[in-house]
Amino acid sequence: MLSNLVLQDTVNGIKTITKCDLTVVNLDGKVVVSTKDDVTVNRTDIVSFAESQADSQEIRDNCYFKVYDDYQLEYIVIASGTEDTTMVGKMAAFQIQNLLIAYKEHFDKDNFIKNLLLDNLLLVDVYNRAKRLHIATDVRRVVYILESEQSKDYSTLEAVKNLFSKSKNDFITAVDEKSIIIIKELAPEAGQKEMADIAGLIVQTLEEGEHGSVHVAYGSAVGEIKEVSRSYKEARMALDVGKIFFEDENIIAYSQLGIGRLIYQLPIPLCKMFIKEIFTDKSPDDFDEETLATINKFFENSLNVSETSRQLYIHRNTLVYRLDKLQKSTGLDLRIFDDAITFKIALMVVKYMKYMETLEY
């Protein structure tokens, strides 16, 4: 069903051009939209015309026209006020009927895309419906998920649609209340750089439009329409993992997740068991801020003692002392690669567990 706003804009536009008043009513005789104020219609005339075989009819100095949706009577247009009432009424009925067709096609495409993303279609249905809706099945695509402080705000959605309005093969939709999903067609030669540039353009456009803080995640490029759901799942994981391990980044790609992707898929009981094996009765939460800052800076500098001490503005021996103290406390020497890897993973697991706890409340 067309929105009343679209119908009102349509009849107002036609009246501006033709000076002819138009009223659109439903089959119950209720006025849907009109160019007149406080318009009243004769319900008996409406019912009589609706039940007749005629597609147009003149009743009491007004011209009536039927508007069909898939051969089903949907609206009745009443035109009045000029010598060209018949022609204007036919034009209005034709325009509204085409709007119904366009709206239905758009709705069918949107419904198809949502079911495609959620894997709700059989493989044969994917290709059959794509063909019927004139959607190419063998072009390269990638799925982006956008979250902002105003993710489902109308202006944000329109800004995204306007950004990709020149391409008829891009799709903008949503499957939940938090995010906007963009299925972007890619050039055959497009790679990681081009996909990152598109994500950057989305963020830049929305931030310039004052749509609040913006986060964009995207999956891998796929070459078949049946694989679009995989790119969507990857983008969804990238968005979630990014919130845990890349909280300072507003753009995150599935290909950049690294070990965070593996940790994100671990069950919480296994995580707790791992942390207990590494730290016994302790936890990284027990370390003071100075120790945590030292550990993080040491990792940032690839276990380089000299560079870490320089950036922390401490003597090299002071750093060595801190590392020795940490070794006595945990049994792990961060200067040894294997111990450093174990400790780094443990910190990430704890971070993951904390994030999952926040979701439970």
Side-chain angles (χ1 to χ4, degrees), residues 41-88:
V41 296
N42 188 310
R43 188 176 182 279
T44 302
D45 291 344
I46 298 296
V47 173
S48 175
F49 174 61
E51 293 175 350
S52 71
Q53 298 298 313
D55 287 334
S56 62
Q57 188 174 347
E58 185 174 340
I59 306 175
R60 307 179 196 278
D61 297 325
N62 295 321
C63 291
Y64 287 62
F65 302 88
K66 292 178 179 176
V67 177
Y68 294 91
D69 180 15
D70 261 350
Y71 304 101
Q72 181 76 29
L73 184 60
E74 187 72 27
Y75 297 115
I76 292 174
V77 176
I78 306 172
S80 61
T82 70
E83 296 179 357
D84 299 323
T85 299
T86 301
M87 181 186 70
V88 174

mmCIF file of all heavy atoms in Angstrom, residues 41-88:
data_model
loop_
_atom_site.group_PDB
_atom_site.id
_atom_site.type_symbol
_atom_site.label_atom_id
_atom_site.label_comp_id
_atom_site.label_asym_id
_atom_site.label_seq_id
_atom_site.Cartn_x
_atom_site.Cartn_y
_atom_site.Cartn_z
ATOM 1 N N VAL A 41 -17.430 13.187 0.153
ATOM 2 C CA VAL A 41 -17.814 12.413 -1.033
ATOM 3 C C VAL A 41 -19.092 11.656 -0.739
ATOM 4 O O VAL A 41 -19.408 11.368 0.421
ATOM 5 C CB VAL A 41 -16.699 11.430 -1.448
ATOM 6 C CG1 VAL A 41 -15.429 12.171 -1.871
ATOM 7 C CG2 VAL A 41 -16.386 10.453 -0.329
ATOM 8 N N ASN A 42 -19.789 11.327 -1.806
ATOM 9 C CA ASN A 42 -21.030 10.575 -1.686
ATOM 10 C C ASN A 42 -20.689 9.083 -1.701
ATOM 11 O O ASN A 42 -20.291 8.537 -2.728
ATOM 12 C CB ASN A 42 -21.968 10.930 -2.851
ATOM 13 C CG ASN A 42 -23.356 10.330 -2.666
ATOM 14 O OD1 ASN A 42 -23.497 9.139 -2.388
ATOM 15 N ND2 ASN A 42 -24.379 11.164 -2.819
ATOM 16 N N ARG A 43 -20.827 8.436 -0.573
ATOM 17 C CA ARG A 43 -20.437 7.028 -0.467
ATOM 18 C C ARG A 43 -21.257 6.148 -1.397
ATOM 19 O O ARG A 43 -20.754 5.164 -1.956
ATOM 20 C CB ARG A 43 -20.586 6.551 0.985
ATOM 21 C CG ARG A 43 -20.024 5.154 1.210
ATOM 22 C CD ARG A 43 -20.101 4.733 2.663
ATOM 23 N NE ARG A 43 -19.509 3.417 2.855
ATOM 24 C CZ ARG A 43 -20.142 2.277 2.589
ATOM 25 N NH1 ARG A 43 -21.388 2.297 2.127
ATOM 26 N NH2 ARG A 43 -19.530 1.120 2.786
ATOM 27 N N THR A 44 -22.521 6.493 -1.580
ATOM 28 C CA THR A 44 -23.371 5.702 -2.470
ATOM 29 C C THR A 44 -22.829 5.728 -3.900
ATOM 30 O O THR A 44 -22.794 4.698 -4.599
ATOM 31 C CB THR A 44 -24.810 6.237 -2.455
ATOM 32 O OG1 THR A 44 -25.313 6.216 -1.116
ATOM 33 C CG2 THR A 44 -25.709 5.389 -3.347
ATOM 34 N N ASP A 45 -22.389 6.907 -4.344
ATOM 35 C CA ASP A 45 -21.816 7.023 -5.683
ATOM 36 C C ASP A 45 -20.544 6.187 -5.806
ATOM 37 O O ASP A 45 -20.293 5.550 -6.841
ATOM 38 C CB ASP A 45 -21.508 8.487 -5.999
ATOM 39 C CG ASP A 45 -22.772 9.324 -6.169
ATOM 40 O OD1 ASP A 45 -23.847 8.726 -6.349
ATOM 41 O OD2 ASP A 45 -22.666 10.565 -6.118
ATOM 42 N N ILE A 46 -19.735 6.207 -4.751
ATOM 43 C CA ILE A 46 -18.480 5.438 -4.763
ATOM 44 C C ILE A 46 -18.767 3.950 -4.905
ATOM 45 O O ILE A 46 -18.175 3.249 -5.733
ATOM 46 C CB ILE A 46 -17.665 5.703 -3.475
ATOM 47 C CG1 ILE A 46 -17.272 7.168 -3.361
ATOM 48 C CG2 ILE A 46 -16.431 4.802 -3.428
ATOM 49 C CD1 ILE A 46 -16.352 7.656 -4.439
ATOM 50 N N VAL A 47 -19.657 3.442 -4.071
ATOM 51 C CA VAL A 47 -19.982 2.006 -4.085
ATOM 52 C C VAL A 47 -20.581 1.609 -5.422
ATOM 53 O O VAL A 47 -20.250 0.572 -6.000
ATOM 54 C CB VAL A 47 -20.940 1.655 -2.932
ATOM 55 C CG1 VAL A 47 -21.414 0.213 -3.048
ATOM 56 C CG2 VAL A 47 -20.261 1.898 -1.591
ATOM 57 N N SER A 48 -21.472 2.451 -5.942
ATOM 58 C CA SER A 48 -22.120 2.166 -7.222
ATOM 59 C C SER A 48 -21.097 2.096 -8.353
ATOM 60 O O SER A 48 -21.132 1.183 -9.190
ATOM 61 C CB SER A 48 -23.169 3.241 -7.519
ATOM 62 O OG SER A 48 -23.738 3.051 -8.796
ATOM 63 N N PHE A 49 -20.169 3.052 -8.376
ATOM 64 C CA PHE A 49 -19.150 3.061 -9.419
ATOM 65 C C PHE A 49 -18.205 1.873 -9.271
ATOM 66 O O PHE A 49 -17.821 1.240 -10.254
ATOM 67 C CB PHE A 49 -18.378 4.374 -9.375
ATOM 68 C CG PHE A 49 -17.218 4.435 -10.318
ATOM 69 C CD1 PHE A 49 -17.400 4.325 -11.698
ATOM 70 C CD2 PHE A 49 -15.924 4.591 -9.845
ATOM 71 C CE1 PHE A 49 -16.328 4.369 -12.572
ATOM 72 C CE2 PHE A 49 -14.849 4.643 -10.706
ATOM 73 C CZ PHE A 49 -15.045 4.527 -12.071
ATOM 74 N N ALA A 50 -17.837 1.535 -8.032
ATOM 75 C CA ALA A 50 -16.924 0.425 -7.792
ATOM 76 C C ALA A 50 -17.513 -0.900 -8.262
ATOM 77 O O ALA A 50 -16.793 -1.778 -8.757
ATOM 78 C CB ALA A 50 -16.566 0.346 -6.314
ATOM 79 N N GLU A 51 -18.829 -1.046 -8.121
ATOM 80 C CA GLU A 51 -19.491 -2.293 -8.508
ATOM 81 C C GLU A 51 -19.833 -2.364 -9.990
ATOM 82 O O GLU A 51 -20.178 -3.421 -10.515
ATOM 83 C CB GLU A 51 -20.766 -2.476 -7.688
ATOM 84 C CG GLU A 51 -20.494 -2.708 -6.191
ATOM 85 C CD GLU A 51 -21.778 -2.766 -5.383
ATOM 86 O OE1 GLU A 51 -22.843 -2.430 -5.949
ATOM 87 O OE2 GLU A 51 -21.711 -3.140 -4.185
ATOM 88 N N SER A 52 -19.684 -1.215 -10.686
ATOM 89 C CA SER A 52 -20.002 -1.188 -12.115
ATOM 90 C C SER A 52 -18.857 -1.767 -12.938
ATOM 91 O O SER A 52 -17.753 -1.982 -12.449
ATOM 92 C CB SER A 52 -20.267 0.252 -12.557
ATOM 93 O OG SER A 52 -19.055 0.993 -12.572
ATOM 94 N N GLN A 53 -19.108 -2.021 -14.207
ATOM 95 C CA GLN A 53 -18.103 -2.563 -15.115
ATOM 96 C C GLN A 53 -17.239 -1.467 -15.743
ATOM 97 O O GLN A 53 -16.218 -1.760 -16.363
ATOM 98 C CB GLN A 53 -18.796 -3.357 -16.237
ATOM 99 C CG GLN A 53 -19.599 -4.558 -15.746
ATOM 100 C CD GLN A 53 -18.715 -5.582 -15.055
ATOM 101 O OE1 GLN A 53 -17.659 -5.934 -15.568
ATOM 102 N NE2 GLN A 53 -19.140 -6.047 -13.889
ATOM 103 N N ALA A 54 -17.649 -0.223 -15.578
ATOM 104 C CA ALA A 54 -16.939 0.892 -16.216
ATOM 105 C C ALA A 54 -15.656 1.224 -15.462
ATOM 106 O O ALA A 54 -15.606 1.137 -14.225
ATOM 107 C CB ALA A 54 -17.834 2.120 -16.260
ATOM 108 N N ASP A 55 -14.621 1.621 -16.220
ATOM 109 C CA ASP A 55 -13.368 2.057 -15.612
ATOM 110 C C ASP A 55 -13.368 3.560 -15.339
ATOM 111 O O ASP A 55 -12.538 4.057 -14.580
ATOM 112 C CB ASP A 55 -12.176 1.707 -16.515
ATOM 113 C CG ASP A 55 -11.883 0.221 -16.516
ATOM 114 O OD1 ASP A 55 -12.209 -0.448 -15.518
ATOM 115 O OD2 ASP A 55 -11.341 -0.287 -17.519
ATOM 116 N N SER A 56 -14.291 4.270 -15.989
ATOM 117 C CA SER A 56 -14.433 5.703 -15.741
ATOM 118 C C SER A 56 -15.893 6.085 -15.929
ATOM 119 O O SER A 56 -16.618 5.448 -16.693
ATOM 120 C CB SER A 56 -13.543 6.520 -16.688
ATOM 121 O OG SER A 56 -13.925 6.313 -18.038
ATOM 122 N N GLN A 57 -16.321 7.130 -15.222
ATOM 123 C CA GLN A 57 -17.734 7.503 -15.280
ATOM 124 C C GLN A 57 -17.895 8.926 -14.754
ATOM 125 O O GLN A 57 -17.175 9.358 -13.844
ATOM 126 C CB GLN A 57 -18.560 6.530 -14.425
ATOM 127 C CG GLN A 57 -20.061 6.695 -14.552
ATOM 128 C CD GLN A 57 -20.813 5.607 -13.785
ATOM 129 O OE1 GLN A 57 -20.240 4.610 -13.363
ATOM 130 N NE2 GLN A 57 -22.104 5.817 -13.588
ATOM 131 N N GLU A 58 -18.849 9.667 -15.337
ATOM 132 C CA GLU A 58 -19.141 11.018 -14.869
ATOM 133 C C GLU A 58 -20.370 10.961 -13.983
ATOM 134 O O GLU A 58 -21.438 10.486 -14.380
ATOM 135 C CB GLU A 58 -19.370 11.961 -16.046
ATOM 136 C CG GLU A 58 -19.566 13.406 -15.607
ATOM 137 C CD GLU A 58 -19.655 14.370 -16.783
ATOM 138 O OE1 GLU A 58 -19.189 14.005 -17.884
ATOM 139 O OE2 GLU A 58 -20.189 15.470 -16.596
ATOM 140 N N ILE A 59 -20.235 11.433 -12.748
ATOM 141 C CA ILE A 59 -21.329 11.422 -11.779
ATOM 142 C C ILE A 59 -21.396 12.791 -11.113
ATOM 143 O O ILE A 59 -20.404 13.234 -10.513
ATOM 144 C CB ILE A 59 -21.128 10.323 -10.708
ATOM 145 C CG1 ILE A 59 -20.920 8.953 -11.355
ATOM 146 C CG2 ILE A 59 -22.296 10.304 -9.736
ATOM 147 C CD1 ILE A 59 -20.607 7.852 -10.362
ATOM 148 N N ARG A 60 -22.512 13.461 -11.218
ATOM 149 C CA ARG A 60 -22.753 14.748 -10.558
ATOM 150 C C ARG A 60 -21.615 15.741 -10.830
ATOM 151 O O ARG A 60 -21.019 16.289 -9.905
ATOM 152 C CB ARG A 60 -22.925 14.552 -9.053
ATOM 153 C CG ARG A 60 -23.964 13.524 -8.652
ATOM 154 C CD ARG A 60 -24.035 13.394 -7.125
ATOM 155 N NE ARG A 60 -24.720 12.192 -6.730
ATOM 156 C CZ ARG A 60 -26.045 12.050 -6.664
ATOM 157 N NH1 ARG A 60 -26.814 13.080 -6.982
ATOM 158 N NH2 ARG A 60 -26.591 10.907 -6.290
ATOM 159 N N ASP A 61 -21.294 15.940 -12.066
ATOM 160 C CA ASP A 61 -20.289 16.910 -12.519
ATOM 161 C C ASP A 61 -18.859 16.547 -12.101
ATOM 162 O O ASP A 61 -17.939 17.365 -12.244
ATOM 163 C CB ASP A 61 -20.600 18.328 -12.002
ATOM 164 C CG ASP A 61 -21.916 18.845 -12.548
ATOM 165 O OD1 ASP A 61 -22.233 18.511 -13.711
ATOM 166 O OD2 ASP A 61 -22.620 19.549 -11.811
ATOM 167 N N ASN A 62 -18.681 15.345 -11.583
ATOM 168 C CA ASN A 62 -17.344 14.855 -11.244
ATOM 169 C C ASN A 62 -17.013 13.638 -12.108
ATOM 170 O O ASN A 62 -17.917 12.874 -12.479
ATOM 171 C CB ASN A 62 -17.247 14.446 -9.767
ATOM 172 C CG ASN A 62 -17.419 15.622 -8.831
ATOM 173 O OD1 ASN A 62 -16.932 16.720 -9.110
ATOM 174 N ND2 ASN A 62 -18.109 15.405 -7.720
ATOM 175 N N CYS A 63 -15.734 13.464 -12.408
ATOM 176 C CA CYS A 63 -15.301 12.301 -13.181
ATOM 177 C C CYS A 63 -14.625 11.297 -12.251
ATOM 178 O O CYS A 63 -13.715 11.666 -11.495
ATOM 179 C CB CYS A 63 -14.348 12.720 -14.299
ATOM 180 S SG CYS A 63 -15.151 13.667 -15.613
ATOM 181 N N TYR A 64 -15.087 10.049 -12.340
ATOM 182 C CA TYR A 64 -14.570 8.981 -11.488
ATOM 183 C C TYR A 64 -13.708 8.035 -12.334
ATOM 184 O O TYR A 64 -14.068 7.684 -13.466
ATOM 185 C CB TYR A 64 -15.720 8.192 -10.867
ATOM 186 C CG TYR A 64 -16.462 8.924 -9.770
ATOM 187 C CD1 TYR A 64 -17.142 10.118 -10.031
ATOM 188 C CD2 TYR A 64 -16.500 8.413 -8.474
ATOM 189 C CE1 TYR A 64 -17.841 10.786 -9.031
ATOM 190 C CE2 TYR A 64 -17.192 9.074 -7.465
ATOM 191 C CZ TYR A 64 -17.861 10.253 -7.748
ATOM 192 O OH TYR A 64 -18.535 10.915 -6.750
ATOM 193 N N PHE A 65 -12.571 7.578 -11.727
ATOM 194 C CA PHE A 65 -11.661 6.683 -12.438
ATOM 195 C C PHE A 65 -11.169 5.595 -11.483
ATOM 196 O O PHE A 65 -10.892 5.867 -10.310
ATOM 197 C CB PHE A 65 -10.457 7.464 -12.994
ATOM 198 C CG PHE A 65 -10.833 8.576 -13.913
ATOM 199 C CD1 PHE A 65 -11.115 9.842 -13.397
ATOM 200 C CD2 PHE A 65 -10.917 8.378 -15.279
ATOM 201 C CE1 PHE A 65 -11.467 10.883 -14.234
ATOM 202 C CE2 PHE A 65 -11.277 9.417 -16.122
ATOM 203 C CZ PHE A 65 -11.557 10.671 -15.598
ATOM 204 N N LYS A 66 -11.061 4.378 -12.004
ATOM 205 C CA LYS A 66 -10.614 3.256 -11.180
ATOM 206 C C LYS A 66 -9.099 3.064 -11.306
ATOM 207 O O LYS A 66 -8.530 3.226 -12.383
ATOM 208 C CB LYS A 66 -11.329 1.964 -11.592
ATOM 209 C CG LYS A 66 -12.814 1.957 -11.269
ATOM 210 C CD LYS A 66 -13.482 0.670 -11.737
ATOM 211 C CE LYS A 66 -14.973 0.669 -11.387
ATOM 212 N NZ LYS A 66 -15.679 -0.531 -11.899
ATOM 213 N N VAL A 67 -8.484 2.733 -10.182
ATOM 214 C CA VAL A 67 -7.050 2.431 -10.149
ATOM 215 C C VAL A 67 -6.893 0.995 -9.658
ATOM 216 O O VAL A 67 -7.381 0.645 -8.581
ATOM 217 C CB VAL A 67 -6.289 3.384 -9.209
ATOM 218 C CG1 VAL A 67 -4.811 3.002 -9.144
ATOM 219 C CG2 VAL A 67 -6.442 4.826 -9.667
ATOM 220 N N TYR A 68 -6.223 0.166 -10.456
ATOM 221 C CA TYR A 68 -6.080 -1.255 -10.144
ATOM 222 C C TYR A 68 -4.660 -1.581 -9.659
ATOM 223 O O TYR A 68 -3.686 -0.944 -10.051
ATOM 224 C CB TYR A 68 -6.386 -2.104 -11.373
ATOM 225 C CG TYR A 68 -7.818 -2.026 -11.837
ATOM 226 C CD1 TYR A 68 -8.204 -1.083 -12.786
ATOM 227 C CD2 TYR A 68 -8.790 -2.887 -11.327
ATOM 228 C CE1 TYR A 68 -9.522 -1.001 -13.219
ATOM 229 C CE2 TYR A 68 -10.104 -2.818 -11.752
ATOM 230 C CZ TYR A 68 -10.474 -1.868 -12.699
ATOM 231 O OH TYR A 68 -11.762 -1.795 -13.136
ATOM 232 N N ASP A 69 -4.595 -2.590 -8.829
ATOM 233 C CA ASP A 69 -3.312 -3.157 -8.405
ATOM 234 C C ASP A 69 -3.383 -4.660 -8.662
ATOM 235 O O ASP A 69 -4.071 -5.391 -7.955
ATOM 236 C CB ASP A 69 -3.074 -2.879 -6.915
ATOM 237 C CG ASP A 69 -1.747 -3.440 -6.426
ATOM 238 O OD1 ASP A 69 -0.900 -3.788 -7.272
ATOM 239 O OD2 ASP A 69 -1.549 -3.523 -5.201
ATOM 240 N N ASP A 70 -2.673 -5.100 -9.722
ATOM 241 C CA ASP A 70 -2.745 -6.513 -10.133
ATOM 242 C C ASP A 70 -4.197 -6.943 -10.391
ATOM 243 O O ASP A 70 -4.663 -7.969 -9.886
ATOM 244 C CB ASP A 70 -2.128 -7.417 -9.063
ATOM 245 C CG ASP A 70 -0.712 -7.820 -9.404
ATOM 246 O OD1 ASP A 70 -0.268 -7.569 -10.541
ATOM 247 O OD2 ASP A 70 -0.047 -8.412 -8.536
ATOM 248 N N TYR A 71 -4.899 -6.141 -11.180
ATOM 249 C CA TYR A 71 -6.289 -6.404 -11.586
ATOM 250 C C TYR A 71 -7.273 -6.337 -10.424
ATOM 251 O O TYR A 71 -8.450 -6.678 -10.567
ATOM 252 C CB TYR A 71 -6.415 -7.779 -12.288
ATOM 253 C CG TYR A 71 -5.504 -7.914 -13.475
ATOM 254 C CD1 TYR A 71 -4.326 -8.624 -13.374
ATOM 255 C CD2 TYR A 71 -5.812 -7.314 -14.693
ATOM 256 C CE1 TYR A 71 -3.464 -8.739 -14.456
ATOM 257 C CE2 TYR A 71 -4.968 -7.428 -15.789
ATOM 258 C CZ TYR A 71 -3.795 -8.130 -15.660
ATOM 259 O OH TYR A 71 -2.945 -8.241 -16.742
ATOM 260 N N GLN A 72 -6.786 -5.912 -9.264
ATOM 261 C CA GLN A 72 -7.646 -5.754 -8.094
ATOM 262 C C GLN A 72 -7.886 -4.269 -7.880
ATOM 263 O O GLN A 72 -6.947 -3.479 -7.791
ATOM 264 C CB GLN A 72 -6.982 -6.362 -6.855
ATOM 265 C CG GLN A 72 -7.801 -6.266 -5.582
ATOM 266 C CD GLN A 72 -8.935 -7.264 -5.522
ATOM 267 O OE1 GLN A 72 -8.847 -8.337 -6.101
ATOM 268 N NE2 GLN A 72 -10.014 -6.900 -4.860
ATOM 269 N N LEU A 73 -9.169 -3.850 -7.815
ATOM 270 C CA LEU A 73 -9.486 -2.446 -7.616
ATOM 271 C C LEU A 73 -8.932 -1.970 -6.283
ATOM 272 O O LEU A 73 -9.210 -2.553 -5.237
ATOM 273 C CB LEU A 73 -11.003 -2.241 -7.672
ATOM 274 C CG LEU A 73 -11.497 -0.791 -7.576
ATOM 275 C CD1 LEU A 73 -10.925 0.042 -8.717
ATOM 276 C CD2 LEU A 73 -13.031 -0.756 -7.606
ATOM 277 N N GLU A 74 -8.135 -0.891 -6.320
ATOM 278 C CA GLU A 74 -7.456 -0.412 -5.121
ATOM 279 C C GLU A 74 -7.959 0.966 -4.692
ATOM 280 O O GLU A 74 -8.238 1.197 -3.522
ATOM 281 C CB GLU A 74 -5.946 -0.344 -5.372
ATOM 282 C CG GLU A 74 -5.117 -0.032 -4.150
ATOM 283 C CD GLU A 74 -5.053 -1.187 -3.171
ATOM 284 O OE1 GLU A 74 -5.190 -2.351 -3.601
ATOM 285 O OE2 GLU A 74 -4.893 -0.928 -1.973
ATOM 286 N N TYR A 75 -8.060 1.911 -5.646
ATOM 287 C CA TYR A 75 -8.487 3.270 -5.355
ATOM 288 C C TYR A 75 -9.482 3.743 -6.414
ATOM 289 O O TYR A 75 -9.577 3.182 -7.508
ATOM 290 C CB TYR A 75 -7.305 4.252 -5.373
ATOM 291 C CG TYR A 75 -6.236 4.018 -4.336
ATOM 292 C CD1 TYR A 75 -4.947 3.658 -4.727
ATOM 293 C CD2 TYR A 75 -6.507 4.188 -2.980
ATOM 294 C CE1 TYR A 75 -3.947 3.469 -3.785
ATOM 295 C CE2 TYR A 75 -5.508 3.991 -2.038
ATOM 296 C CZ TYR A 75 -4.241 3.628 -2.445
ATOM 297 O OH TYR A 75 -3.260 3.442 -1.513
ATOM 298 N N ILE A 76 -10.165 4.815 -6.047
ATOM 299 C CA ILE A 76 -10.996 5.547 -7.008
ATOM 300 C C ILE A 76 -10.555 7.005 -6.968
ATOM 301 O O ILE A 76 -10.430 7.597 -5.891
ATOM 302 C CB ILE A 76 -12.490 5.426 -6.671
ATOM 303 C CG1 ILE A 76 -12.959 3.984 -6.898
ATOM 304 C CG2 ILE A 76 -13.313 6.408 -7.517
ATOM 305 C CD1 ILE A 76 -14.377 3.718 -6.452
ATOM 306 N N VAL A 77 -10.281 7.544 -8.162
ATOM 307 C CA VAL A 77 -9.852 8.931 -8.278
ATOM 308 C C VAL A 77 -11.029 9.768 -8.752
ATOM 309 O O VAL A 77 -11.712 9.415 -9.727
ATOM 310 C CB VAL A 77 -8.682 9.065 -9.283
ATOM 311 C CG1 VAL A 77 -8.311 10.538 -9.480
ATOM 312 C CG2 VAL A 77 -7.479 8.275 -8.803
ATOM 313 N N ILE A 78 -11.282 10.867 -8.061
ATOM 314 C CA ILE A 78 -12.359 11.783 -8.436
ATOM 315 C C ILE A 78 -11.728 13.095 -8.888
ATOM 316 O O ILE A 78 -10.968 13.713 -8.146
ATOM 317 C CB ILE A 78 -13.313 12.043 -7.257
ATOM 318 C CG1 ILE A 78 -13.847 10.718 -6.697
ATOM 319 C CG2 ILE A 78 -14.460 12.944 -7.673
ATOM 320 C CD1 ILE A 78 -14.648 10.877 -5.419
ATOM 321 N N ALA A 79 -12.030 13.492 -10.122
ATOM 322 C CA ALA A 79 -11.477 14.729 -10.680
ATOM 323 C C ALA A 79 -12.593 15.736 -10.915
ATOM 324 O O ALA A 79 -13.696 15.369 -11.340
ATOM 325 C CB ALA A 79 -10.745 14.438 -11.990
ATOM 326 N N SER A 80 -12.295 17.014 -10.652
ATOM 327 C CA SER A 80 -13.318 18.050 -10.849
ATOM 328 C C SER A 80 -12.650 19.406 -10.986
ATOM 329 O O SER A 80 -11.509 19.600 -10.567
ATOM 330 C CB SER A 80 -14.297 18.082 -9.661
ATOM 331 O OG SER A 80 -13.600 18.377 -8.463
ATOM 332 N N GLY A 81 -13.392 20.357 -11.605
ATOM 333 C CA GLY A 81 -12.948 21.736 -11.546
ATOM 334 C C GLY A 81 -12.433 22.358 -12.818
ATOM 335 O O GLY A 81 -12.234 23.572 -12.858
ATOM 336 N N THR A 82 -12.180 21.597 -13.907
ATOM 337 C CA THR A 82 -11.690 22.199 -15.148
ATOM 338 C C THR A 82 -12.376 21.560 -16.341
ATOM 339 O O THR A 82 -13.068 20.548 -16.227
ATOM 340 C CB THR A 82 -10.166 22.013 -15.315
ATOM 341 O OG1 THR A 82 -9.894 20.624 -15.577
ATOM 342 C CG2 THR A 82 -9.397 22.445 -14.076
ATOM 343 N N GLU A 83 -12.149 22.174 -17.505
ATOM 344 C CA GLU A 83 -12.721 21.624 -18.738
ATOM 345 C C GLU A 83 -12.010 20.334 -19.143
ATOM 346 O O GLU A 83 -12.566 19.519 -19.875
ATOM 347 C CB GLU A 83 -12.606 22.658 -19.867
ATOM 348 C CG GLU A 83 -13.422 23.927 -19.615
ATOM 349 C CD GLU A 83 -13.267 24.935 -20.734
ATOM 350 O OE1 GLU A 83 -12.469 24.657 -21.667
ATOM 351 O OE2 GLU A 83 -13.928 25.986 -20.679
ATOM 352 N N ASP A 84 -10.792 20.156 -18.705
ATOM 353 C CA ASP A 84 -10.014 18.968 -19.067
ATOM 354 C C ASP A 84 -10.060 17.902 -17.973
ATOM 355 O O ASP A 84 -9.117 17.133 -17.803
ATOM 356 C CB ASP A 84 -8.559 19.353 -19.334
ATOM 357 C CG ASP A 84 -8.428 20.333 -20.488
ATOM 358 O OD1 ASP A 84 -9.193 20.192 -21.456
ATOM 359 O OD2 ASP A 84 -7.564 21.233 -20.405
ATOM 360 N N THR A 85 -11.163 17.862 -17.244
ATOM 361 C CA THR A 85 -11.264 16.950 -16.103
ATOM 362 C C THR A 85 -11.030 15.496 -16.503
ATOM 363 O O THR A 85 -10.331 14.753 -15.812
ATOM 364 C CB THR A 85 -12.650 17.086 -15.436
ATOM 365 O OG1 THR A 85 -12.813 18.422 -14.968
ATOM 366 C CG2 THR A 85 -12.776 16.125 -14.272
ATOM 367 N N THR A 86 -11.606 15.084 -17.617
ATOM 368 C CA THR A 86 -11.476 13.692 -18.053
ATOM 369 C C THR A 86 -10.021 13.322 -18.313
ATOM 370 O O THR A 86 -9.525 12.301 -17.839
ATOM 371 C CB THR A 86 -12.305 13.434 -19.314
ATOM 372 O OG1 THR A 86 -13.683 13.724 -19.041
ATOM 373 C CG2 THR A 86 -12.186 11.980 -19.755
ATOM 374 N N MET A 87 -9.320 14.173 -19.051
ATOM 375 C CA MET A 87 -7.922 13.894 -19.381
ATOM 376 C C MET A 87 -7.063 13.895 -18.111
ATOM 377 O O MET A 87 -6.217 13.022 -17.911
ATOM 378 C CB MET A 87 -7.392 14.934 -20.362
ATOM 379 C CG MET A 87 -5.936 14.700 -20.774
ATOM 380 S SD MET A 87 -5.273 16.023 -21.783
ATOM 381 C CE MET A 87 -5.165 17.332 -20.546
ATOM 382 N N VAL A 88 -7.275 14.883 -17.232
ATOM 383 C CA VAL A 88 -6.481 14.974 -16.005
ATOM 384 C C VAL A 88 -6.762 13.781 -15.099
ATOM 385 O O VAL A 88 -5.837 13.204 -14.498
ATOM 386 C CB VAL A 88 -6.779 16.289 -15.266
ATOM 387 C CG1 VAL A 88 -6.062 16.320 -13.923
ATOM 388 C CG2 VAL A 88 -6.377 17.482 -16.119
#
